[in-house]
Amino acid sequence: MIVRDLATAEQSNRRVVSPDGNWESTRMLLKDDNMGFSFHITTIYKYADFGMHYQNHLESVYCISGEGEVETVPEGKKYPIKPGTLYILDKNDKHILRAFEEMQMACVFNPPLNGKEVHNADGAYELSAEAVTA
């Protein structure tokens, strides 16, 4: 059994802050945990507006708090995000995420992340990122 608490993980190297200042993510479950997926609590900062394209991962995102929207690219279809909303990037969907206020999200990635990933120039996470230790 694996047991972790968010407050402790936030004070460790499991907390990753994006270099562009749009988000921070505490990686609660990672590849080295051997579950076949990773689980993160991610905060999207107020007024963040950025594109992503997870070419190497599938992701599901559940909004715990805050409001914003996700927009499909290139279609331009916008979906509101509020507490209780789940969106699933099941086709490596290229998208734009906008936070109208700070949002806290629960995110699941398949394949699992190693832990230190940040978005590359295409808005994706690389498969070969460094692993978190501890």
Side-chain angles (χ1 to χ4, degrees):
M1 178 181 291
I2 300 168
V3 178
R4 294 190 175 108
D5 72 270
L6 181 60
T8 302
E10 286 174 334
Q11 301 303 314
S12 75
N13 59 355
R14 290 181 172 273
R15 179 177 173 260
V16 175
V17 178
S18 72
D20 57 16
N22 286 316
W23 55 267
E24 66 180 68
S25 182
T26 302
R27 279 81 190 267
M28 301 292 293
L29 187 70
L30 293 166
K31 182 177 182 178
D32 286 350
D33 293 312
N34 296 311
M35 292 295 296
F37 62 92
S38 59
F39 179 81
H40 316 200
I41 299 297
T42 300
T43 300
I44 309 297
Y45 300 139
K46 185 176 183 176
Y47 304 128
D49 186 334
F50 60 104
M52 291 175 279
H53 187 192
Y54 294 127
Q55 299 157 359
N56 303 311
H57 298 86
L58 301 176
E59 181 191 27
S60 62
V61 181
Y62 178 80
C63 181
I64 298 167
S65 64
E67 292 193 18
E69 70 182 9
V70 61
E71 178 180 347
T72 61
V73 175
E75 301 83 7
K77 185 160 184 178
K78 297 177 182 176
Y79 298 91
I81 299 172
K82 61 184 181 187
T85 301
L86 174 72
Y87 68 89
I88 300 106
L89 303 166
D90 62 335
K91 295 180 177 45
N92 304 100
D93 311 86
K94 190 172 188 178
H95 60 290
I96 298 169
L97 185 61
R98 294 184 184 93
F100 305 143
E101 56 189 56
E102 185 174 282
M103 296 191 295
Q104 188 173 52
M105 317 291 259
C107 308
V108 176
F109 281 89
N110 184 12
L113 298 188
N114 289 309
K116 294 197 177 179
E117 291 87 348
V118 294
H119 300 110
N120 66 19
D122 295 324
Y125 287 146
E126 300 291 343
L127 288 174
S128 60
E130 184 179 344
V132 163
T133 55

